[in-house]
Amino acid sequence: MAKLTEINVFVLLLAILAICVVFTYIVPSGEYARVEVNGRSVVQSDSFQYTDASPISFMGFLNSIHTGMVDSASIMFFVLIIGGSYGILSATGAMEAFIVTLARTLGHREKWLIPIMMLFFAAGGSLIGMFEETLPYIAILVPLAVALGFDAMTGAAIVLLGASVGFTSAVMNPFTIGIAQGIAELPPFSGMGLRIVIFIVMYLTAVAFVYRHAMKVKKNPALGIYGSYDPANIDQMMSKGVVFERRHKVILTCFMLNMVTIAIGVIEFGWYITEIAGLFILLGAIVGIIGRLSANEMVDAFMKGAAALLAGAMIIGVARAIVVVLNDGHIMDTILYYSAYMIKELPPSLTAVGMLGFQTLLSFVIPSGSGMAALTMPIMTPLSELVGITRQTAVLAYQFGDGISNIIIPGIAVAGVGMAGISYIRWLKWIFPLIMIQYGIAIIAVIVAHAIGYGPF
């Protein structure tokens, strides 16, 4: 039997897709009625009905891959545009000069990079739902981490784990906790006190995990996971006597202004990946001109940067095919219906844990946090009252199920580690112990929430 590290992620996803196709022949078809609420399609909790069987044919199996890519095209092209824009930024030499200068400036204070930067990303994820927006920082943090004597895994983890911790704790995340509480008819951002405690615990746990790995690599570089960043090349870069020129400073100022504009747009105007991608196209053009690249050089650099993330983008599309099969086979709602029934049969003390488990499993086929809230919270809200759990606890179970899994499901995290040249399977193996710890924290948190009657109701 092949080792896990030898399994190609596309082979794994296609195997799961085939299993889901088989399920369309076994699981009864059914569906809930849906209504529009604030522009979102929300299920009606008491409307489930069985429908005629809709098994997926072999041709349907093949077609689902293309359909999945079409459905996730906005995210796939977002990833490619980010990679292309960074290809141009890298070609100007500004990034290399900045990393060399910053590495020299930090000196022996490099250990502070981990907690400080992870706090920055965690705060962004928890307060404004920043996750996709963190991808650009990986191109800076990964080579910087290697230059400071760490490895590519450390740099990628600082960004991705930092944002994931914030997104999971969701102190004021408008895209998850805000939508879920609205559907559950809870006061906006109620129950914040417990979520702040969860944020602190999750943040400290993640920092300790990354810091421990980084110190091992610092002591013995042979233990590092470097992806596409050869330490020898980084050392050569550090010894080249690179000068941080005035035009480099202007280019990086444009980069920071771009990130500030994105933050304002997301908060004030509800921008999402389409607007963010547009700004990165503009950024690429501007920094290319400032960096004195010709039009041909800019295009070549863009294509090279996008090519580096092609595999990550394709993974997102193939993973989406699983959702296509479950929806076209009309078994997604059946799974939801029977899951709610099984949760109802659990002992009261474990019902909240059952909700957490259900939300976690569902997050693998519904990567959108707001989409999962629209699908599950209309079911979980009345179910929570039926079994004696507060609505706030049901929302807490949802936010854990959606948040923790974000770091491992085929999506933005895949693109992130792809930017570092780290394989998805390698990332899963490395992150697995922390994921288990985080789910342990989540289980304890929902049990405590149930015990104390968490929330206004």
Side-chain angles (χ1 to χ4, degrees):
M1 184 176 179
K3 295 180 180 179
L4 182 62
T5 51
E6 297 173 354
I7 299 176
N8 185 284
V9 64
F10 288 102
V11 174
L12 182 63
L13 288 173
L14 289 173
I16 295 172
L17 181 62
I19 292 171
C20 291
V21 169
V22 173
F23 281 170
T24 65
Y25 288 85
I26 300 171
V27 179
S29 297
E31 62 183 11
Y32 285 98
R34 285 163 167 78
V35 294
E36 287 290 322
V37 178
N38 296 326
R40 291 184 176 84
S41 179
V42 178
V43 302
Q44 291 181 296
S45 61
D46 58 351
S47 64
F48 180 81
Q49 290 184 338
Y50 291 106
T51 61
D52 294 336
S54 304
I56 302 299
S57 65
F58 178 71
M59 200 64 198
F61 164 71
L62 298 177
N63 292 346
S64 68
I65 299 172
H66 175 262
T67 304
M69 291 185 178
V70 171
D71 288 352
S72 56
S74 61
I75 299 176
M76 292 173 64
F77 282 109
F78 170 74
V79 169
L80 294 178
I81 287 171
I82 292 293
S85 298
Y86 264 86
I88 298 175
L89 185 60
S90 178
T92 66
M95 196 64 69
E96 179 180 323
F98 173 71
I99 290 166
V100 170
T101 302
L102 184 58
R104 290 170 179 166
T105 302
L106 285 173
H108 297 293
R109 299 180 297 244
E110 75 278 0
K111 296 175 183 179
W112 286 102
L113 177 75
I114 296 170
I116 292 174
M117 292 308 300
M118 287 188 73
L119 181 60
F120 167 74
F121 293 117
S126 196
L127 299 178
I128 62 173
M130 186 172 71
F131 197 72
E132 292 89 347
E133 298 86 349
T134 62
L135 274 185
Y137 293 99
I138 290 178
I140 299 175
L141 267 295
V142 171
L144 178 60
V146 177
L148 291 172
F150 304 134
D151 63 351
M153 187 67 84
T154 300
I158 287 173
V159 179
L160 296 173
L161 277 179
S164 173
V165 163
F167 208 87
T168 300
S169 59
V171 173
M172 292 181 64
N173 186 341
F175 303 110
T176 57
I177 201 75
I179 293 173
Q181 287 188 336
I183 294 173
E185 298 180 339
L186 287 162
F189 304 117
S190 57
M192 191 181 298
L194 180 59
R195 292 199 299 278
I196 290 174
V197 173
I198 291 166
F199 173 88
I200 295 171
V201 173
M202 288 277 194
Y203 165 75
L204 293 176
T205 303
V207 167
F209 184 82
V210 177
Y211 190 87
R212 181 172 175 268
H213 170 80
M215 292 305 105
K216 283 183 177 180
V217 174
K218 188 81 171 175
K219 187 175 181 179
N220 183 4
L223 298 175
I225 303 168
Y226 297 96
S228 57
Y229 290 84
D230 188 339
N233 293 338
I234 298 293
D235 290 340
Q236 185 179 10
M237 181 182 76
M238 293 293 292
S239 62
K240 282 196 307 187
V242 176
V243 178
F244 194 33
E245 300 176 1
R246 183 172 179 272
R247 64 189 174 93
H248 294 152
K249 296 177 182 178
V250 174
I251 288 171
L252 289 177
T253 299
C254 290
F255 168 77
M256 293 309 302
L257 287 174
N258 186 62
M259 299 308 295
V260 170
T261 303
I262 288 172
I264 294 173
V266 169
I267 296 171
E268 295 294 329
F269 306 110
W271 287 359
Y272 191 45
I273 56 178
T274 298
E275 293 81 6
I276 296 172
L279 284 177
F280 269 98
I281 291 173
L282 178 61
L283 174 69
I286 291 174
V287 300
I289 293 170
I290 297 173
R292 302 167 190 167
L293 300 179
S294 68
N296 285 347
E297 287 173 332
M298 279 192 273
V299 172
D300 289 342
F302 184 95
M303 296 302 292
K304 183 179 179 180
L309 291 185
L310 181 59
M314 294 284 286
I315 288 171
I316 295 170
V318 175
R320 179 68 183 180
I322 296 171
V323 182
V324 172
V325 164
L326 295 178
N327 283 333
D328 289 354
H330 294 98
I331 63 172
M332 177 74 84
D333 285 3
T334 305
I335 293 171
L336 178 61
Y337 174 74
Y338 278 110
S339 297
Y341 178 80
M342 287 189 289
I343 290 172
K344 185 173 64 174
E345 297 301 312
L346 290 172
S349 59
L350 295 179
T351 304
V353 178
M355 286 184 176
L356 168 60
F358 163 68
Q359 297 281 9
T360 298
L361 291 174
L362 202 61
S363 68
F364 282 83
V365 293
I366 305 177
S368 166
S370 58
M372 195 162 79
L375 178 65
T376 63
M377 290 315 301
I379 308 296
M380 294 297 111
T381 299
L383 179 61
S384 66
E385 295 180 335
L386 183 64
V387 298
I389 293 176
T390 64
R391 294 185 179 189
Q392 193 78 73
T393 301
V395 171
L396 184 68
Y398 150 76
Q399 80 181 60
F400 282 137
D402 170 65
I404 297 175
S405 62
N406 269 327
I407 204 67
I408 54 176
I409 60 176
I412 295 302
V414 175
V417 296
M419 290 181 72
I422 300 170
S423 76
Y424 177 49
I425 299 298
R426 189 70 186 85
W427 168 256
L428 290 181
K429 286 187 65 178
W430 183 80
I431 202 74
F432 183 77
L434 178 61
I435 294 299
M436 292 298 99
I437 293 171
Q438 289 185 333
Y439 276 119
I441 294 170
I443 289 171
I444 293 171
V446 294
I447 291 174
V448 170
H450 173 58
I452 65 175
Y454 176 48
F457 50 87

